[in-house]
Amino acid sequence: MLTALRPDPRQLRTFLLILLPAIAGGWAWSSFHLPLGWLMGSAIVTGGFAMSGLHIRMFKLPHRAGLVVIGASVGLTFTPEIAAHVLGWLPLMVLGGALGILAAAVTAPWLARHGRMSLATAYFSLLPGGVIEMARVGETHGGDRTTIAALHAIRVALVVGVLPLALYALFPSDPAPAATAAARIGPLALVAACAIGALGGWLGSRVNLPAAWLLGAVLAVGVVASAGLVTGKLPPLFLAAAQVSVGIALGERFERASLARIPRALAAGTPALLAIIAAMALAAAGVALLLGQNLPTLVLAFSIGGMAEMVLTAKALHQDVALVAAFQALRAVMVNGLAGSIWARVLAPR
C-alpha cells in the first residue's frame, strides 16, 4: 500500500535501500529489449525484497508523478481525429467492461469452494478494478481485505508477466494503424504537459476518478493536445522513471507476511485468474476477427490488468495507446461503480 506524502524515516531508509537495485533490475530487463523492461525488472527486484521479509512502501509523490508522466504521454497522442476514433468504440468498451464483471461473477463460486473463502471475497478478488477500491468495497460486503488485495496483486502481475511477452512473441513488429511517429517534445512544452497532467490528476482525485492521477492526466493533456497547444513525445528517460515507480508499487504488494496467511487462496486464485485472462483474450480475438481490427490492441484493451500497466504495454508494443486507455478507463469506472450494487442485488446469498 502506498504510504503518506511525508515518509516515516524507517520507511524512507528501506525505500532508498531498494531503489538502486530496482532501477538496476529495470535496466537489466530492458537491456534485452523486452516490453515493459523497466517495469518488470523493478517489480521483480522489489517483489524479491518484499518476499524476503523487507517491509517496503512506495511513496505517494513519486508514484503519482509516474502516473502523471504516463497519463501525459497518452494525452499527447490525442488529436480530434483520434478522439472521434475512440468514441466510435464506445459500445465495445461497454461490452469489455461487462465481460470483465461477468467473468468474475461466473468464476467466483469455483474460487470460493476451492480457495476456502467466502463468495464475497472470491467475487471482489476477481473483479478487474483497482486493488484499493476492491479491497475497501469488498470488506464492506463481508469480504476478507487481505485476500482481496493479495489476489489483485497476483492478477496484475500475471497480466503484466504474460500478455506483453506473448504479444511480443506473436506480433514482434505489428504496429497498430493508429500509431504514428511524433517529434520529441520541447523543454517548455514538456514542463507544460507535466504541469497540466499534474493538475488533471489532482482534479481527478478530487472527484474520485478511478486511477485518478493517471486518468486525470490523460484527460487534461488530451484536451490541450487535441487543440494543438502542446504536441510531441516525452523523453524515454521520463517513461523509464515512470515504469520504475509503477514497478516498485507492484512489487511491494508481495509481502511475505500477507501471502503466507493465504496460501490456499493463492493456489486456487492463480488458475482462476489465468482462466479469466485467457477468456478475455479469446473474446478480444473474436471481436478482432469479426470486425477485422488489430488483434494485439484489442487483447490489451479487453485485458484485466491495471490501467497504467496496460497503457505502458500498448506504448511498448506500438499499439493504439489511446484506445487501450479508453477501454481500461471505462472498465474501471464500470467495475468501481457497479461492483457493490451487483453483489448486493444479484450475487449476495439470501
Side-chain angles (χ1 to χ4, degrees):
M1 180 174 296
L2 299 179
T3 195
L5 292 173
R6 291 186 177 182
D8 176 272
R10 289 175 298 177
Q11 293 176 338
L12 180 58
R13 286 195 296 269
T14 303
F15 176 75
L16 294 176
L17 174 67
I18 65 99
L19 180 59
L20 286 180
I23 294 173
W27 174 83
W29 191 278
S30 67
S31 67
F32 291 101
H33 304 290
L34 295 171
L36 294 189
W38 290 95
L39 188 155
M40 285 300 300
S42 57
I44 290 170
V45 170
T46 304
F49 277 110
M51 294 185 73
S52 72
L54 201 61
H55 185 66
I56 302 168
R57 285 294 176 263
M58 181 64 181
F59 298 109
K60 288 182 179 180
L61 187 59
H63 186 250
R64 287 174 178 176
L67 295 177
V68 166
V69 167
I70 297 167
S73 70
V74 176
L76 286 169
T77 67
F78 274 77
T79 64
E81 294 76 19
I82 288 178
H85 163 72
V86 168
L87 285 175
W89 285 86
L90 187 58
L92 281 176
M93 292 181 201
V94 174
L95 174 64
L99 286 177
I101 297 172
L102 178 63
V106 169
T107 312
W110 184 93
L111 176 58
R113 183 169 62 255
H114 293 277
R116 293 184 181 175
M117 64 184 77
S118 70
L119 184 59
T121 299
Y123 170 67
F124 287 100
S125 294
L126 296 175
L127 282 170
V131 56
I132 297 174
E133 292 85 354
M134 292 300 97
R136 184 179 65 247
V137 175
E139 188 175 40
T140 64
H141 290 283
D144 179 71
R145 187 185 188 95
T146 300
T147 302
I148 294 170
L151 285 176
H152 275 281
I154 296 293
R155 169 179 64 86
V156 176
L158 286 173
V159 174
V160 172
V162 172
L163 278 187
L165 293 179
L167 293 174
Y168 181 74
L170 294 172
F171 306 94
S173 58
D174 185 26
T180 56
R184 185 71 56 82
I185 194 169
L188 291 178
L190 172 62
V191 173
C194 291
I196 293 167
L199 176 61
W202 179 82
L203 291 173
S205 69
R206 297 299 93 188
V207 298
N208 294 319
L209 276 179
W213 288 90
L214 174 62
L215 184 53
V218 171
L219 295 174
V221 177
V223 168
V224 297
S226 297
L229 299 177
V230 179
T231 59
K233 183 172 63 174
L234 293 185
L237 181 61
F238 273 58
L239 289 174
Q243 286 196 46
V244 170
S245 74
V246 174
I248 293 174
L250 175 59
E252 70 166 21
R253 297 174 184 170
F254 290 86
E255 281 194 335
R256 182 175 63 186
S258 297
L259 299 181
R261 291 201 297 266
I262 50 172
R264 190 176 182 92
L266 295 178
T270 299
L273 288 165
L274 285 171
I276 293 177
I277 293 169
M280 295 299 289
L282 287 174
V287 171
L289 291 174
L290 185 64
L291 301 181
Q293 298 295 328
N294 184 268
L295 177 58
T297 291
L298 285 181
V299 169
L300 295 175
F302 273 69
S303 71
I304 61 169
M307 183 176 174
E309 293 83 3
M310 291 303 94
V311 167
L312 285 169
T313 302
K315 288 183 70 66
L317 297 178
H318 308 294
Q319 299 303 310
D320 191 335
V321 179
L323 187 63
V324 171
F327 264 83
Q328 294 289 330
L330 184 59
R331 190 200 68 214
V333 170
M334 290 177 63
V335 172
N336 291 348
L338 299 175
S341 298
I342 291 174
W343 168 258
R345 298 180 182 179
V346 180
L347 299 174
R350 305 300 177 190

